[in-house]
Amino acid sequence: MKLGVIADDFTGATDIAGFLVENGLATLQLAGIPPAVDLSGIDAVVISLKSRSCPADEAVRDSLAALDWLKARGCPRIYQKYCSTFDSTAAGNIGPVTDALLAALESRFTLICPALPVNGRTVYQGNLFVGAQPLAESGMRHHPITPMTDSNLLRLMEGQGSGRAGLVPFTTIAQGPAAITDAFEQLTQAGVRYAVVDTLTEQHLLDIAEAAIEMPLVTGGSGLAIGLARLLGNGNPAAARAAGRPLGTRAVVLSGSCSEMTNRQVAHYREVAPVLAFDVAACLTKADYPAELARWVLDQPATPAPMIHATTSPDRLAEIQARHGRDLASEAVEQCFARLAVLLRAAGIDSFIIAGGETSSRITQALAITAFHIGPQIAPGVPWVRATDAPLSLALKSGNFGDETFFSRAQEFFHD
């Protein structure tokens, strides 16, 4: 094993696993921490946790357990993976987990690199941008669980963590790996714990990766994995992704994300396929509602795959949460998705296209999937994955990833 990744949610895990495979590292993704797994031929392991929005002490506990598992198998490098929009609260969980991993690795310095330029996530003067918008002015300011109201990564890290943050500015990054390495050393000597790196292009990611290749711990979104995989891999992505190619006998689309992009994707898909919206009240009051939804799916033509969604606008989401309670409504919807997936799997559905981190996590757990092979990318950061012990394929999409045609595009791989 050349690299071990500790990811804070399921879609984030498939996001980075896809980039590792596309850049030549044979990668296995684990749903949680298994007692044992066959790592033959595997270059990188990605452990999927549910630590993004849980209490900070739980996130630290689970992340340290994942670290122990990787260290016990000789893993020489650890990558703490979080979202490219730095999804977190004022208190964590990115900062507390970073501090705990640094302490466990007896290290005192790491970098902060959420950038993913191919998806419009860049960092300039320490501020994170989503396209042309600062993070705090993007759709992330309306996130129902982790609303992002500050774009400055130095302030965010110092607010969550216990150390100082420093900036490696664009002018230094543009000079290449040697200058970046020197900047890291200067920050370390100054007592800085977290180096925020300006990142505007993929070349910047490659240069940052070269400067950070010997760090015991790096932290970031999936973009930094591009550079690390190119340095560590064998340069054969086709071989790396072959085991994860999707089955595509019969598929369904399940969307729990309420992001701006997912709203656009659902609207686009509604024009070409049968689509049914969740009734939140029915989730709360009708015990047989998942069975009702399953019957609707199975009554539709197999292609294009039918969709069931809880995706809605920010105003409508706020109305639902006010009427039913935020936590109660969210839990009811996710439980319903999980029960629906189990019913559909029993009825012969073998390919699930899922939007939303929490929805992906619940469905993966409900289907009792413990490990995936990573397949071809549908969109940057969203690969198909296939269960290692069952004929079952999934596409697990973070809310804002992909373009409007994502759900249709995912199904084109069934015919490759």
Side-chain angles (χ1 to χ4, degrees):
M1 197 192 316
K2 300 174 182 178
L3 183 67
V5 180
I6 302 170
D8 64 1
D9 83 339
F10 278 74
T11 54
T14 55
D15 170 13
I16 192 169
F19 280 112
L20 292 173
V21 165
E22 289 300 313
N23 289 278
L25 284 183
T27 303
L28 189 69
Q29 180 179 335
L30 306 178
I33 306 167
V37 66
D38 182 6
L39 298 178
S40 302
I42 297 299
D43 299 313
V45 170
V46 180
I47 297 179
S48 317
L49 302 179
K50 290 181 60 182
S51 57
R52 179 169 296 175
S53 55
C54 67
D57 59 344
E58 293 181 18
V60 168
R61 178 199 66 202
D62 293 347
S63 298
L64 289 176
L67 175 63
D68 289 343
W69 191 93
L70 291 165
K71 288 171 62 179
R73 286 152 183 82
C75 183
R77 300 173 186 85
I78 303 298
Y79 192 130
Q80 177 193 349
K81 164 64 173 68
Y82 41 75
C83 188
S84 62
T85 45
F86 212 73
D87 299 27
S88 53
T89 68
N93 292 337
I94 295 172
V97 170
T98 301
D99 286 342
L101 294 175
L102 282 171
L105 291 166
E106 299 182 344
S107 183
R108 57 193 179 101
F109 181 81
T110 189
L111 60 84
I112 307 298
C113 185
L116 182 58
V118 70
N119 276 352
R121 279 42 162 193
T122 56
V123 179
Y124 181 68
Q125 296 298 335
N127 295 292
L128 180 56
F129 287 78
V130 179
Q133 295 178 310
L135 176 66
E137 298 175 22
S138 73
M140 283 301 299
R141 69 190 184 278
H142 299 305
H143 194 286
I145 299 174
T146 53
M148 301 305 295
T149 58
D150 191 351
S151 306
N152 188 273
L153 294 169
L154 286 84
R155 284 196 298 267
L156 288 167
M157 273 307 294
E158 289 187 346
Q160 297 180 28
S162 59
R164 289 171 49 211
L167 177 65
V168 184
F170 164 74
T171 51
T172 300
I173 300 294
Q175 296 175 49
I180 300 168
T181 301
D182 288 344
F184 287 161
E185 181 61 28
Q186 292 171 23
L187 290 173
T188 301
Q189 294 301 319
V192 168
R193 179 172 292 180
Y194 323 111
V196 174
V197 285
D198 279 354
T199 315
L200 299 178
T201 68
E202 184 171 298
Q203 185 60 50
H204 293 162
L205 290 172
L206 303 181
D207 291 343
I208 293 165
E210 186 173 341
I213 191 68
E214 298 302 331
M215 283 187 182
L217 173 71
V218 298
T219 89
S222 58
L224 186 61
I226 297 171
L228 293 177
R230 290 186 189 179
L231 291 168
L232 299 171
N234 60 15
N236 188 359
R241 64 185 173 230
R245 185 164 293 280
L247 298 166
T249 304
R250 185 161 186 186
V252 66
V253 182
L254 303 176
S255 178
S257 167
C258 291
S259 73
E260 289 183 359
M261 178 52 75
T262 306
N263 268 277
R264 289 158 57 188
Q265 290 163 339
V266 169
H268 185 276
Y269 197 64
R270 188 179 290 114
E271 301 298 318
V272 299
V275 172
L276 181 67
F278 251 65
D279 181 340
V280 177
C283 286
L284 291 163
T285 60
K286 295 176 64 175
D288 63 345
Y289 189 52
E292 181 181 320
L293 295 174
R295 286 193 294 272
W296 180 86
V297 169
L298 297 171
D299 285 344
Q300 307 308 311
T303 56
M307 167 191 280
I308 291 181
H309 72 89
T311 302
T312 190
S313 68
D315 289 344
R316 176 59 179 156
L317 178 62
E319 178 185 330
I320 291 170
Q321 291 176 339
R323 180 181 303 170
H324 302 290
R326 188 189 76 174
D327 293 341
L328 184 62
S330 176
E331 180 64 19
V333 169
E334 300 302 347
Q335 283 189 2
C336 191
F337 267 126
R339 292 172 59 198
L340 170 61
V342 170
L343 292 170
L344 292 175
R345 178 72 185 106
I349 300 289
D350 65 8
S351 300
F352 291 80
I353 303 166
I354 308 168
E358 183 62 25
T359 307
S360 296
S361 172
R362 289 295 188 92
I363 290 175
T364 302
Q365 289 179 321
L367 294 174
I369 302 170
T370 59
F372 311 115
H373 293 296
I374 309 301
Q377 288 205 37
I378 305 160
V382 194
W384 273 106
V385 303
R386 188 190 295 186
T388 59
D389 59 355
L392 187 59
S393 294
L394 301 96
L396 308 173
K397 185 189 87 72
S398 293
N400 284 308
F401 280 19
D403 64 13
E404 286 88 346
T405 66
F406 176 83
F407 296 123
S408 298
R409 169 67 178 149
Q411 295 167 62
E412 294 177 7
F413 287 79
F414 298 157
H415 310 295
D416 286 356

